[in-house]
Short mmCIF file of all heavy atoms in Angstrom, two decimals:
data_model
loop_
_atom_site.label_atom_id
_atom_site.label_comp_id
_atom_site.label_asym_id
_atom_site.label_seq_id
_atom_site.Cartn_x
_atom_site.Cartn_y
_atom_site.Cartn_z
N THR A 196 -4.13 124.09 44.80
CA THR A 196 -5.07 122.96 44.71
C THR A 196 -6.50 123.36 44.59
O THR A 196 -7.29 122.64 43.92
CB THR A 196 -4.96 122.11 46.01
OG1 THR A 196 -5.08 122.97 47.18
CG2 THR A 196 -3.60 121.41 46.08
N ILE A 197 -6.95 124.47 45.17
CA ILE A 197 -8.40 124.82 45.09
C ILE A 197 -8.66 125.36 43.69
O ILE A 197 -7.87 126.05 43.11
CB ILE A 197 -8.71 125.89 46.16
CG1 ILE A 197 -8.49 125.31 47.57
CG2 ILE A 197 -10.15 126.35 46.04
CD1 ILE A 197 -8.77 126.26 48.70
N HIS A 198 -9.81 125.03 43.19
CA HIS A 198 -10.09 125.20 41.74
C HIS A 198 -10.30 126.66 41.35
O HIS A 198 -9.63 127.13 40.39
CB HIS A 198 -11.31 124.37 41.37
CG HIS A 198 -11.25 122.96 41.80
ND1 HIS A 198 -11.36 122.56 43.11
CD2 HIS A 198 -11.08 121.78 41.12
CE1 HIS A 198 -11.25 121.24 43.22
NE2 HIS A 198 -11.11 120.77 41.99
N ASP A 199 -11.21 127.37 41.98
CA ASP A 199 -11.62 128.69 41.54
C ASP A 199 -10.89 129.78 42.37
O ASP A 199 -10.63 129.57 43.56
CB ASP A 199 -13.12 128.88 41.66
CG ASP A 199 -13.89 128.16 40.51
OD1 ASP A 199 -13.48 128.33 39.34
OD2 ASP A 199 -14.84 127.44 40.84
N VAL A 200 -10.66 130.94 41.75
CA VAL A 200 -9.94 132.02 42.38
C VAL A 200 -10.67 132.49 43.66
O VAL A 200 -10.09 132.73 44.69
CB VAL A 200 -9.73 133.19 41.43
CG1 VAL A 200 -9.11 134.39 42.13
CG2 VAL A 200 -8.88 132.79 40.25
N ALA A 201 -11.99 132.68 43.57
CA ALA A 201 -12.76 133.18 44.70
C ALA A 201 -12.66 132.26 45.90
O ALA A 201 -12.50 132.74 47.06
CB ALA A 201 -14.22 133.34 44.31
N GLN A 202 -12.66 130.98 45.66
CA GLN A 202 -12.54 129.99 46.77
C GLN A 202 -11.15 130.00 47.35
O GLN A 202 -10.98 129.79 48.57
CB GLN A 202 -12.96 128.61 46.30
CG GLN A 202 -14.45 128.37 46.32
CD GLN A 202 -15.19 129.14 45.27
OE1 GLN A 202 -14.65 129.38 44.16
NE2 GLN A 202 -16.42 129.59 45.54
N VAL A 203 -10.14 130.20 46.50
CA VAL A 203 -8.77 130.28 47.01
C VAL A 203 -8.63 131.49 47.95
O VAL A 203 -8.06 131.42 49.03
CB VAL A 203 -7.75 130.43 45.84
CG1 VAL A 203 -6.36 130.82 46.33
CG2 VAL A 203 -7.67 129.14 45.05
N VAL A 204 -9.17 132.60 47.54
CA VAL A 204 -9.11 133.81 48.36
C VAL A 204 -9.84 133.59 49.66
O VAL A 204 -9.33 133.95 50.72
CB VAL A 204 -9.74 135.03 47.59
CG1 VAL A 204 -9.85 136.26 48.50
CG2 VAL A 204 -8.89 135.35 46.37
N GLY A 205 -11.04 133.01 49.61
CA GLY A 205 -11.79 132.75 50.80
C GLY A 205 -11.08 131.82 51.78
O GLY A 205 -11.01 132.10 52.98
N ALA A 206 -10.51 130.76 51.26
CA ALA A 206 -9.78 129.82 52.10
C ALA A 206 -8.54 130.41 52.69
O ALA A 206 -8.22 130.20 53.90
CB ALA A 206 -9.50 128.54 51.34
N GLY A 207 -7.75 131.11 51.85
CA GLY A 207 -6.46 131.66 52.30
C GLY A 207 -6.60 132.68 53.38
O GLY A 207 -5.93 132.61 54.44
#
Side-chain angles (χ1 to χ4, degrees):
T196 53
I197 299 178
H198 309 70
D199 286 310
V200 175
Q202 277 68 34
V203 170
V204 172

